[in-house]
Coordinates of all heavy atoms in Angstrom, one line a residue:
M1 N -11.5 8.7 -1.4 CA -11.4 7.7 -0.4 C -10.0 7.1 -0.5 O -9.5 6.7 -1.5 CB -12.4 6.5 -0.7 CG -12.5 5.6 0.5 SD -13.6 4.1 0.1 CE -12.5 3.2 -0.9
T2 N -9.4 6.9 0.7 CA -8.1 6.3 0.7 C -8.2 4.8 1.0 O -8.9 4.4 1.9 CB -7.3 6.9 1.9 OG1 -7.1 8.3 1.6 CG2 -5.8 6.2 1.9
A3 N -7.5 4.0 0.1 CA -7.6 2.5 0.3 C -6.9 2.1 1.6 O -5.7 2.6 1.9 CB -7.0 1.8 -0.9
T4 N -7.4 1.3 2.4 CA -6.8 0.8 3.6 C -6.9 -0.7 3.6 O -7.8 -1.3 3.3 CB -7.5 1.3 4.9 OG1 -7.6 2.7 4.8 CG2 -6.8 0.9 6.2
A5 N -5.7 -1.3 3.9 CA -5.6 -2.7 4.1 C -5.5 -3.0 5.5 O -5.4 -2.2 6.4 CB -4.4 -3.2 3.3
V6 N -5.4 -4.4 5.8 CA -5.1 -4.8 7.2 C -4.0 -5.8 7.2 O -3.9 -6.6 6.3 CB -6.5 -5.4 7.9 CG1 -7.5 -4.3 8.1 CG2 -7.0 -6.5 7.1
T7 N -3.4 -5.8 8.3 CA -2.3 -6.9 8.4 C -3.1 -8.2 8.8 O -4.3 -8.2 9.1 CB -1.4 -6.5 9.6 OG1 -2.1 -6.6 10.8 CG2 -0.7 -5.2 9.4
R8 N -2.4 -9.3 8.9 CA -3.0 -10.5 9.3 C -3.6 -10.4 10.7 O -4.6 -11.0 11.0 CB -2.0 -11.7 9.3 CG -2.6 -13.0 9.4 CD -1.6 -14.1 9.4 NE -2.1 -15.4 9.5 CZ -1.5 -16.5 9.6 NH1 -0.2 -16.5 9.6 NH2 -2.2 -17.7 9.8
G9 N -3.0 -9.6 11.5 CA -3.5 -9.4 12.8 C -4.6 -8.4 12.9 O -5.1 -8.2 14.0
G10 N -5.0 -7.8 11.8 CA -6.2 -6.9 11.8 C -5.8 -5.4 12.0 O -6.7 -4.6 12.1
T11 N -4.5 -5.1 11.9 CA -4.1 -3.7 12.1 C -4.2 -3.1 10.8 O -3.6 -3.5 9.8 CB -2.7 -3.6 12.6 OG1 -2.6 -4.3 13.9 CG2 -2.2 -2.2 12.9
P12 N -4.9 -1.9 10.7 CA -5.1 -1.2 9.5 C -3.7 -0.6 9.0 O -2.9 -0.2 9.9 CB -6.1 -0.1 9.8 CG -6.7 -0.5 11.0 CD -5.7 -1.3 11.8
W13 N -3.5 -0.5 7.8 CA -2.4 0.2 7.2 C -2.7 0.8 5.9 O -3.6 0.1 5.1 CB -1.1 -0.6 7.2 CG -1.1 -1.8 6.2 CD1 -1.7 -3.1 6.5 CD2 -0.5 -1.9 4.9 NE1 -1.4 -3.8 5.4 CE2 -0.8 -3.2 4.4 CE3 0.2 -1.0 4.1 CZ2 -0.4 -3.5 3.1 CZ3 0.5 -1.3 2.8 CH2 0.2 -2.7 2.4
T14 N -2.1 1.8 5.4 CA -2.4 2.4 4.1 C -1.4 2.2 3.1 O -0.2 2.6 3.4 CB -2.6 4.0 4.3 OG1 -3.7 4.2 5.3 CG2 -3.0 4.7 3.0
P15 N -1.7 1.4 2.1 CA -0.7 1.2 1.0 C -0.2 2.6 0.4 O -0.9 3.5 0.2 CB -1.4 0.4 0.0 CG -2.5 -0.1 0.7 CD -3.0 0.8 1.7
Q16 N 1.1 2.6 0.2 CA 1.8 3.7 -0.5 C 2.3 3.2 -1.9 O 3.2 2.6 -1.9 CB 3.0 4.2 0.3 CG 2.6 4.6 1.8 CD 2.0 5.9 1.8 OE1 2.4 6.9 1.0 NE2 1.1 6.2 2.8
Y17 N 1.5 3.6 -2.9 CA 1.8 3.1 -4.3 C 2.9 4.0 -4.9 O 2.9 5.2 -4.8 CB 0.5 3.2 -5.1 CG -0.5 2.3 -4.6 CD1 -1.6 2.9 -3.9 CD2 -0.5 0.9 -4.6 CE1 -2.6 2.2 -3.4 CE2 -1.6 0.2 -4.1 CZ -2.6 0.7 -3.5 OH -3.6 0.1 -3.0
V18 N 3.8 3.3 -5.7 CA 4.9 4.0 -6.3 C 4.3 5.0 -7.3 O 3.4 4.6 -8.1 CB 5.9 3.1 -6.9 CG1 5.4 2.3 -8.1 CG2 7.2 3.8 -7.2
E19 N 4.8 6.3 -7.3 CA 4.2 7.2 -8.3 C 5.4 7.6 -9.3 O 5.2 7.7 -10.4 CB 3.8 8.5 -7.6 CG 3.3 9.6 -8.5 CD 2.9 10.8 -7.7 OE1 3.6 11.3 -6.8 OE2 1.8 11.4 -8.1
A20 N 6.6 7.8 -8.8 CA 7.7 8.2 -9.7 C 9.0 7.9 -9.1 O 9.1 7.7 -7.9 CB 7.5 9.7 -10.0
I21 N 10.0 7.8 -9.9 CA 11.4 7.7 -9.5 C 12.1 8.9 -10.2 O 12.0 9.1 -11.3 CB 12.0 6.4 -10.1 CG1 11.2 5.2 -9.5 CG2 13.5 6.3 -9.7 CD1 11.6 3.8 -10.2
D22 N 12.9 9.5 -9.3 CA 13.6 10.8 -9.7 C 14.8 10.4 -10.7 O 15.8 9.9 -10.1 CB 14.1 11.6 -8.6 CG 14.6 12.9 -9.0 OD1 14.9 13.1 -10.2 OD2 14.7 13.9 -8.2
P23 N 14.7 10.6 -12.0 CA 15.8 10.2 -12.9 C 17.1 11.0 -12.6 O 18.2 10.5 -13.0 CB 15.2 10.4 -14.3 CG 14.3 11.6 -14.1 CD 13.6 11.3 -12.7
K24 N 17.0 12.1 -12.0 CA 18.2 12.9 -11.8 C 19.0 12.4 -10.6 O 20.2 12.8 -10.3 CB 17.9 14.3 -11.6 CG 17.3 15.0 -12.9 CD 17.7 16.4 -13.0 CE 17.3 17.0 -14.4 NZ 18.2 16.6 -15.4
V25 N 18.4 11.6 -9.8 CA 19.0 11.1 -8.5 C 19.4 9.6 -8.6 O 20.4 9.2 -8.0 CB 18.1 11.3 -7.3 CG1 18.8 10.9 -6.0 CG2 17.7 12.8 -7.3
C26 N 18.7 8.8 -9.4 CA 18.8 7.4 -9.5 C 20.3 7.0 -10.0 O 20.7 7.6 -11.0 CB 17.8 6.8 -10.4 SG 18.0 5.0 -10.6
I27 N 20.9 6.1 -9.3 CA 22.2 5.7 -9.7 C 22.2 4.3 -10.4 O 23.2 3.7 -10.7 CB 23.2 5.6 -8.5 CG1 22.6 4.7 -7.4 CG2 23.5 7.1 -8.0 CD1 23.7 4.5 -6.3
G28 N 21.0 3.8 -10.6 CA 20.8 2.5 -11.3 C 21.4 1.3 -10.5 O 21.8 0.3 -11.1
C29 N 21.3 1.3 -9.2 CA 22.0 0.3 -8.4 C 21.2 -1.0 -8.4 O 21.8 -2.1 -8.1 CB 22.1 0.7 -6.9 SG 20.6 1.0 -6.0
G30 N 19.9 -1.0 -8.7 CA 19.1 -2.2 -8.8 C 18.5 -2.7 -7.5 O 17.8 -3.7 -7.4
R31 N 18.7 -2.0 -6.3 CA 18.2 -2.5 -5.0 C 16.7 -2.6 -5.0 O 16.1 -3.6 -4.6 CB 18.7 -1.6 -3.9 CG 20.1 -1.7 -3.5 CD 20.5 -0.7 -2.4 NE 21.8 -0.8 -2.0 CZ 22.9 -0.2 -2.5 NH1 22.8 0.6 -3.6 NH2 24.1 -0.3 -1.9
C32 N 16.1 -1.6 -5.5 CA 14.6 -1.5 -5.6 C 14.1 -2.7 -6.4 O 13.0 -3.2 -6.0 CB 14.1 -0.1 -6.0 SG 14.8 0.3 -7.6
Y33 N 14.7 -2.9 -7.5 CA 14.2 -3.9 -8.4 C 14.3 -5.3 -7.7 O 13.4 -6.1 -7.9 CB 15.2 -4.0 -9.7 CG 14.8 -5.1 -10.6 CD1 13.9 -4.9 -11.6 CD2 15.5 -6.3 -10.6 CE1 13.6 -5.9 -12.5 CE2 15.2 -7.3 -11.5 CZ 14.2 -7.1 -12.5 OH 13.9 -8.0 -13.4
K34 N 15.3 -5.6 -6.9 CA 15.5 -6.8 -6.3 C 14.4 -7.1 -5.2 O 14.0 -8.2 -5.0 CB 16.8 -6.9 -5.7 CG 17.9 -7.1 -6.6 CD 19.4 -7.1 -6.0 CE 20.4 -7.1 -7.0 NZ 21.7 -6.9 -6.4
V35 N 13.9 -6.1 -4.5 CA 13.0 -6.2 -3.5 C 11.6 -6.2 -3.8 O 10.6 -6.6 -3.2 CB 13.2 -5.2 -2.3 CG1 14.6 -5.3 -1.7 CG2 12.9 -3.8 -2.8
C36 N 11.3 -5.6 -5.1 CA 9.9 -5.5 -5.5 C 9.2 -6.9 -5.8 O 9.8 -7.6 -6.6 CB 9.8 -4.6 -6.7 SG 8.1 -4.5 -7.4
P37 N 8.2 -7.2 -5.1 CA 7.6 -8.5 -5.3 C 6.6 -8.6 -6.5 O 6.0 -9.7 -6.7 CB 6.8 -8.7 -4.0 CG 6.3 -7.3 -3.6 CD 7.4 -6.4 -4.1
R38 N 6.3 -7.5 -7.2 CA 5.4 -7.4 -8.2 C 5.9 -7.1 -9.6 O 5.1 -6.7 -10.5 CB 4.3 -6.5 -7.8 CG 3.6 -6.7 -6.5 CD 2.6 -7.9 -6.6 NE 1.6 -7.6 -7.5 CZ 0.6 -8.4 -7.8 NH1 0.5 -9.5 -7.2 NH2 -0.4 -8.0 -8.7
D39 N 7.1 -7.0 -9.9 CA 7.6 -6.7 -11.2 C 7.2 -5.4 -11.7 O 6.8 -5.3 -12.9 CB 7.3 -7.9 -12.1 CG 8.1 -7.9 -13.4 OD1 9.3 -7.3 -13.4 OD2 7.6 -8.4 -14.4
V40 N 7.2 -4.4 -10.8 CA 6.7 -3.1 -11.2 C 7.8 -2.2 -11.9 O 7.5 -1.4 -12.7 CB 6.1 -2.3 -10.0 CG1 5.8 -1.0 -10.2 CG2 5.0 -3.1 -9.4
L41 N 9.0 -2.6 -11.6 CA 10.1 -1.7 -11.9 C 11.0 -2.4 -13.0 O 11.1 -3.6 -13.0 CB 10.9 -1.4 -10.7 CG 10.2 -0.9 -9.5 CD1 11.1 -0.8 -8.2 CD2 9.6 0.4 -9.8
T42 N 11.7 -1.5 -13.8 CA 12.7 -2.1 -14.7 C 13.8 -1.1 -14.9 O 13.6 0.1 -14.8 CB 12.0 -2.4 -16.1 OG1 12.9 -3.3 -16.8 CG2 11.7 -1.2 -16.9
L43 N 15.0 -1.6 -15.2 CA 16.1 -0.8 -15.5 C 16.2 -0.4 -16.9 O 16.1 -1.3 -17.8 CB 17.4 -1.6 -15.0 CG 18.7 -0.8 -14.7 CD1 18.4 0.2 -13.6 CD2 19.8 -1.8 -14.3
E44 N 16.5 0.8 -17.2 CA 16.6 1.3 -18.6 C 18.0 2.0 -18.8 O 18.4 2.6 -17.9 CB 15.5 2.3 -18.9 CG 14.3 1.7 -19.4 CD 13.3 2.8 -19.9 OE1 13.6 4.0 -19.9 OE2 12.2 2.4 -20.3
D45 N 18.5 1.8 -19.9 CA 19.7 2.5 -20.3 C 19.4 4.0 -20.4 O 18.3 4.3 -20.9 CB 20.3 2.1 -21.6 CG 20.9 0.7 -21.5 OD1 21.4 0.4 -20.3 OD2 21.1 0.0 -22.5
R46 N 20.3 4.8 -19.9 CA 20.2 6.3 -20.2 C 20.6 6.6 -21.6 O 21.7 6.3 -22.0 CB 21.0 7.0 -19.2 CG 20.6 7.0 -17.8 CD 21.5 7.9 -17.0 NE 21.2 7.8 -15.6 CZ 20.3 8.5 -14.9 NH1 19.5 9.4 -15.6 NH2 20.0 8.4 -13.6
G47 N 19.7 7.2 -22.4 CA 20.1 7.6 -23.7 C 20.9 8.8 -23.6 O 21.0 9.4 -22.5
D48 N 21.6 9.2 -24.6 CA 22.4 10.4 -24.6 C 21.6 11.7 -24.1 O 22.1 12.6 -23.5 CB 23.0 10.7 -25.9 CG 24.0 9.7 -26.2 OD1 24.5 9.0 -25.3 OD2 24.4 9.5 -27.4
D49 N 20.3 11.6 -24.5 CA 19.4 12.8 -24.1 C 19.3 12.9 -22.7 O 19.1 14.1 -22.0 CB 18.0 12.6 -24.7 CG 18.1 12.8 -26.2 OD1 19.2 13.2 -26.7 OD2 17.1 12.4 -26.9
E50 N 19.3 11.8 -21.9 CA 19.2 11.9 -20.4 C 20.5 12.4 -19.7 O 20.4 12.8 -18.6 CB 18.8 10.4 -19.9 CG 17.5 10.0 -20.4 CD 16.4 10.6 -19.6 OE1 16.6 11.2 -18.6 OE2 15.2 10.5 -20.1
V51 N 21.6 12.2 -20.3 CA 22.8 12.7 -19.7 C 23.1 14.1 -20.1 O 23.7 14.4 -21.2 CB 24.0 11.6 -20.1 CG1 25.3 12.1 -19.4 CG2 23.5 10.3 -19.9
D52 N 22.8 15.0 -19.3 CA 23.0 16.4 -19.5 C 24.4 16.8 -19.2 O 25.2 16.0 -18.6 CB 22.0 17.3 -19.0 CG 21.7 17.0 -17.5 OD1 22.7 16.7 -16.8 OD2 20.7 17.3 -16.9
D53 N 24.8 18.1 -19.4 CA 26.1 18.5 -19.2 C 26.6 18.5 -17.7 O 27.8 18.2 -17.5 CB 26.2 20.0 -19.7 CG 26.1 20.1 -21.2 OD1 26.2 19.0 -21.8 OD2 25.8 21.1 -21.7
D54 N 25.7 18.6 -16.8 CA 26.2 18.6 -15.4 C 26.1 17.2 -14.7 O 26.2 17.1 -13.6 CB 25.4 19.7 -14.5 CG 23.8 19.3 -14.6 OD1 23.5 18.4 -15.3 OD2 23.1 20.1 -13.9
W55 N 25.8 16.2 -15.6 CA 25.8 14.8 -15.1 C 27.2 14.3 -15.0 O 27.9 14.2 -15.9 CB 25.0 13.9 -16.0 CG 24.8 12.6 -15.5 CD1 25.5 11.5 -15.7 CD2 23.8 12.1 -14.5 NE1 25.1 10.4 -15.0 CE2 24.0 10.8 -14.3 CE3 22.8 12.8 -13.9 CZ2 23.3 10.0 -13.4 CZ3 22.0 12.1 -12.9 CH2 22.2 10.7 -12.8
D56 N 27.6 14.0 -13.7 CA 29.0 13.6 -13.6 C 29.2 12.3 -13.0 O 30.4 11.9 -12.7 CB 29.7 14.7 -12.8 CG 29.2 14.9 -11.5 OD1 28.2 14.1 -11.1 OD2 29.7 15.7 -10.6
D57 N 28.2 11.5 -12.8 CA 28.3 10.2 -12.2 C 28.5 9.2 -13.4 O 27.5 8.7 -14.1 CB 27.1 9.8 -11.4 CG 27.3 8.5 -10.6 OD1 28.2 7.7 -11.1 OD2 26.6 8.3 -9.7
E58 N 29.7 8.8 -13.7 CA 30.1 7.9 -14.8 C 29.5 6.5 -14.6 O 29.4 5.8 -15.6 CB 31.6 7.8 -15.0 CG 32.1 9.1 -15.5 CD 31.6 9.4 -16.9 OE1 31.5 8.5 -17.7 OE2 31.4 10.5 -17.2
D59 N 29.1 6.1 -13.4 CA 28.6 4.8 -13.2 C 27.1 4.7 -13.5 O 26.6 3.6 -13.7 CB 28.8 4.4 -11.7 CG 30.4 4.2 -11.4 OD1 31.1 3.8 -12.3 OD2 30.7 4.5 -10.3
A60 N 26.4 5.8 -13.5 CA 25.0 5.7 -13.6 C 24.6 5.8 -15.2 O 24.1 6.8 -15.6 CB 24.4 6.9 -12.9
K61 N 24.9 4.7 -15.8 CA 24.6 4.5 -17.2 C 23.1 4.1 -17.4 O 22.6 4.0 -18.6 CB 25.5 3.6 -17.9 CG 27.0 4.0 -17.8 CD 27.2 5.3 -18.6 CE 28.6 5.6 -18.7 NZ 28.9 7.0 -19.1
A62 N 22.5 3.7 -16.3 CA 21.1 3.2 -16.4 C 20.4 3.7 -15.2 O 20.9 4.3 -14.3 CB 21.1 1.6 -16.3
M63 N 19.1 3.8 -15.4 CA 18.2 4.3 -14.3 C 16.9 3.4 -14.2 O 16.5 2.8 -15.1 CB 17.7 5.7 -14.6 CG 17.0 5.8 -15.9 SD 16.5 7.6 -16.3 CE 15.7 7.3 -17.9
M64 N 16.4 3.4 -13.0 CA 15.2 2.6 -12.8 C 13.9 3.4 -13.2 O 13.9 4.6 -13.0 CB 15.1 2.2 -11.3 CG 14.2 1.0 -11.0 SD 14.8 -0.6 -11.8 CE 16.3 -0.8 -10.9
V65 N 13.0 2.7 -13.8 CA 11.8 3.4 -14.2 C 10.6 2.5 -13.8 O 10.7 1.3 -13.5 CB 11.6 3.6 -15.7 CG1 12.8 4.6 -16.2 CG2 11.7 2.3 -16.5
V66 N 9.4 3.1 -13.7 CA 8.2 2.4 -13.4 C 7.6 1.8 -14.7 O 7.3 2.5 -15.6 CB 7.2 3.3 -12.7 CG1 5.9 2.6 -12.3 CG2 7.8 4.0 -11.4
K67 N 7.6 0.5 -14.7 CA 7.1 -0.3 -15.8 C 5.6 -0.6 -15.7 O 4.9 -0.5 -16.7 CB 7.9 -1.5 -16.0 CG 7.5 -2.4 -17.2 CD 8.4 -3.7 -17.3 CE 8.3 -4.6 -16.1 NZ 9.0 -5.8 -16.2
N68 N 5.2 -1.2 -14.6 CA 3.9 -1.7 -14.4 C 3.2 -1.0 -13.2 O 3.1 -1.7 -12.2 CB 3.9 -3.2 -14.3 CG 4.3 -3.9 -15.5 OD1 4.0 -3.5 -16.6 ND2 5.2 -4.9 -15.3
A69 N 2.9 0.3 -13.2 CA 2.5 1.0 -12.1 C 1.2 0.4 -11.5 O 1.0 0.4 -10.3 CB 2.3 2.4 -12.4
M70 N 0.4 -0.1 -12.4 CA -0.9 -0.7 -11.9 C -0.8 -2.0 -11.2 O -1.7 -2.5 -10.6 CB -1.8 -0.8 -13.1 CG -2.3 0.5 -13.7 SD -3.1 1.6 -12.6 CE -1.9 3.0 -12.6
D71 N 0.4 -2.6 -11.2 CA 0.6 -3.8 -10.4 C 1.2 -3.6 -9.0 O 1.3 -4.5 -8.3 CB 1.6 -4.8 -11.2 CG 0.9 -5.5 -12.4 OD1 -0.3 -5.6 -12.4 OD2 1.7 -6.0 -13.3
C72 N 1.5 -2.3 -8.7 CA 2.1 -2.0 -7.4 C 1.0 -2.3 -6.3 O -0.1 -1.9 -6.4 CB 2.5 -0.5 -7.4 SG 3.1 0.0 -5.8
I73 N 1.5 -3.0 -5.3 CA 0.6 -3.2 -4.1 C 0.9 -2.3 -2.9 O 0.2 -2.4 -1.9 CB 0.8 -4.7 -3.6 CG1 2.3 -4.9 -3.1 CG2 0.3 -5.7 -4.6 CD1 2.5 -6.3 -2.4
G74 N 1.8 -1.4 -3.2 CA 1.9 -0.3 -2.2 C 2.7 -0.7 -0.9 O 2.5 -0.2 0.1
C75 N 3.6 -1.7 -1.1 CA 4.3 -2.2 0.2 C 5.4 -1.2 0.6 O 5.8 -1.3 1.8 CB 4.9 -3.6 -0.1 SG 6.2 -3.6 -1.3
G76 N 5.9 -0.4 -0.3 CA 6.9 0.6 0.1 C 8.3 0.1 0.2 O 9.2 0.9 0.5
A77 N 8.5 -1.2 -0.1 CA 9.9 -1.8 0.0 C 10.9 -1.1 -0.8 O 12.0 -0.9 -0.4 CB 9.8 -3.3 -0.3
C78 N 10.5 -0.7 -2.0 CA 11.4 0.0 -2.9 C 12.0 1.3 -2.3 O 13.1 1.5 -2.4 CB 10.7 0.2 -4.3 SG 9.2 1.1 -4.2
G79 N 11.0 2.1 -1.8 CA 11.5 3.3 -1.2 C 12.4 3.1 0.0 O 13.4 3.9 0.2
R80 N 12.1 2.0 0.8 CA 12.9 1.8 2.0 C 14.4 1.4 1.7 O 15.2 1.6 2.4 CB 12.2 0.9 2.9 CG 11.0 1.4 3.6 CD 10.6 0.5 4.8 NE 10.1 -0.8 4.3 CZ 8.8 -1.0 3.9 NH1 7.9 0.0 3.9 NH2 8.5 -2.2 3.5
T81 N 14.4 0.6 0.5 CA 15.8 0.1 0.2 C 16.6 1.1 -0.6 O 17.9 0.9 -0.8 CB 15.7 -1.2 -0.5 OG1 16.9 -1.8 -0.5 CG2 15.3 -1.0 -2.0
C82 N 16.1 2.1 -1.2 CA 16.7 3.1 -2.1 C 17.7 3.9 -1.3 O 17.3 4.7 -0.3 CB 15.7 3.9 -2.9 SG 16.6 5.1 -3.9
P83 N 19.0 3.9 -1.7 CA 20.0 4.7 -1.0 C 20.0 6.2 -1.4 O 20.7 7.0 -0.7 CB 21.3 4.0 -1.5 CG 21.1 3.6 -2.7 CD 19.6 3.1 -2.8
K84 N 19.2 6.6 -2.4 CA 19.2 7.9 -2.8 C 17.9 8.6 -2.7 O 17.7 9.7 -3.2 CB 19.6 8.0 -4.4 CG 20.9 7.3 -4.7 CD 22.1 8.1 -4.1 CE 22.4 9.3 -5.0 NZ 23.6 10.1 -4.5
D85 N 16.9 8.0 -2.0 CA 15.6 8.6 -1.8 C 14.9 9.1 -3.1 O 14.5 10.2 -3.2 CB 15.8 9.8 -0.8 CG 14.4 10.0 -0.1 OD1 13.6 9.3 -0.1 OD2 14.3 11.3 0.4
C86 N 14.9 8.2 -4.1 CA 14.4 8.5 -5.4 C 12.9 8.5 -5.5 O 12.4 9.2 -6.4 CB 15.0 7.6 -6.4 SG 16.8 7.6 -6.7
F87 N 12.2 7.8 -4.6 CA 10.8 7.4 -4.9 C 9.9 8.4 -4.3 O 10.1 9.1 -3.3 CB 10.5 6.1 -4.3 CG 11.1 4.9 -5.0 CD1 12.3 4.5 -4.8 CD2 10.3 4.3 -5.9 CE1 12.9 3.4 -5.6 CE2 10.7 3.3 -6.7 CZ 12.1 2.8 -6.4
S88 N 8.7 8.6 -5.1 CA 7.6 9.3 -4.4 C 6.4 8.4 -4.6 O 6.4 7.5 -5.5 CB 7.4 10.7 -5.2 OG 7.2 10.4 -6.5
F89 N 5.6 8.5 -3.6 CA 4.4 7.6 -3.4 C 3.1 8.4 -3.3 O 3.1 9.6 -3.0 CB 4.6 6.7 -2.2 CG 5.8 5.8 -2.2 CD1 7.0 6.3 -1.7 CD2 5.8 4.6 -2.8 CE1 8.1 5.4 -1.8 CE2 6.8 3.7 -2.8 CZ 8.0 4.2 -2.4
V90 N 2.1 7.7 -3.6 CA 0.7 8.2 -3.5 C -0.2 7.1 -2.8 O 0.1 5.9 -2.9 CB 0.1 8.6 -4.8 CG1 0.7 9.8 -5.4 CG2 0.1 7.4 -5.8
T91 N -1.2 7.5 -2.2 CA -2.3 6.6 -1.7 C -3.3 6.6 -2.7 O -3.4 7.4 -3.6 CB -2.9 7.1 -0.3 OG1 -3.3 8.5 -0.5 CG2 -1.7 7.1 0.8
A92 N -4.2 5.5 -2.6 CA -5.3 5.3 -3.6 C -6.5 5.9 -3.1 O -6.7 6.1 -1.9 CB -5.4 3.8 -4.0
Ligands
SF4_1 S1 5.7 -0.3 -3.4 FE1 6.2 -2.5 -3.4 S2 5.0 -3.4 -5.1 FE2 5.1 -1.1 -5.4 S3 6.9 -0.8 -6.7 FE3 7.6 -0.6 -4.6 S4 8.3 -2.6 -3.9 FE4 7.1 -2.9 -5.8
SF4_2 S1 17.3 1.8 -5.4 FE1 17.1 4.0 -5.8 S2 19.1 4.5 -6.7 FE2 19.0 2.2 -6.8 S3 18.0 1.8 -8.8 FE3 16.4 2.0 -7.3 S4 15.6 4.0 -7.6 FE4 17.7 4.0 -8.4

């Protein structure tokens, strides 16, 4: 069964819950973190293991990860603000 919510006006909508963030694409810009209303995301330093030989973006020393997936309300704001299209979503 797919969870369906309603707007205040009664229009149905289907929440899209965050599933994953692509670590190979994320530039650690923090946009998604700023818009998330539920503290689902957190910025992590990239360890040396994460920086492979073909990684050439010197600015991307950190990446966003999903910290509290079960707190996500499926608003989709993180995905809409991401400049690199890192997010994948699932319905419940
Ligand atoms: S879908 Fe909404 S609540 Fe869930 S992680 Fe993205 S911004 Fe946060
Ligand atoms: S908005 Fe996208 S690129 Fe920026 S930190 Fe979030 S996932 Fe990474």
Side-chain angles (χ1 to χ4, degrees):
M1 188 186 80
T2 300
T4 302
V6 291
T7 67
R8 189 177 180 187
T11 304
W13 65 280
T14 302
Q16 301 281 326
Y17 301 103
V18 69
E19 182 180 42
I21 301 170
D22 187 342
K24 293 215 174 286
V25 184
C26 177
I27 57 173
C29 69
R31 287 178 174 84
C32 56
Y33 178 85
K34 289 178 185 169
V35 299
C36 178
R38 299 287 297 183
D39 196 25
V40 174
L41 310 171
T42 193
L43 201 60
E44 272 190 3
D45 286 338
R46 291 183 184 273
D48 290 341
D49 291 348
E50 291 286 345
V51 183
D52 53 28
D53 291 342
D54 59 359
W55 184 265
D56 58 3
D57 189 338
E58 287 299 318
D59 292 328
K61 299 298 187 194
M63 62 183 176
M64 200 63 64
V65 298
V66 180
K67 177 179 66 173
N68 297 316
M70 294 302 120
D71 282 343
C72 178
I73 59 173
C75 68
C78 51
R80 285 194 296 277
T81 199
C82 178
K84 302 292 282 185
D85 200 20
C86 296
F87 284 85
S88 54
F89 295 93
V90 291
T91 56

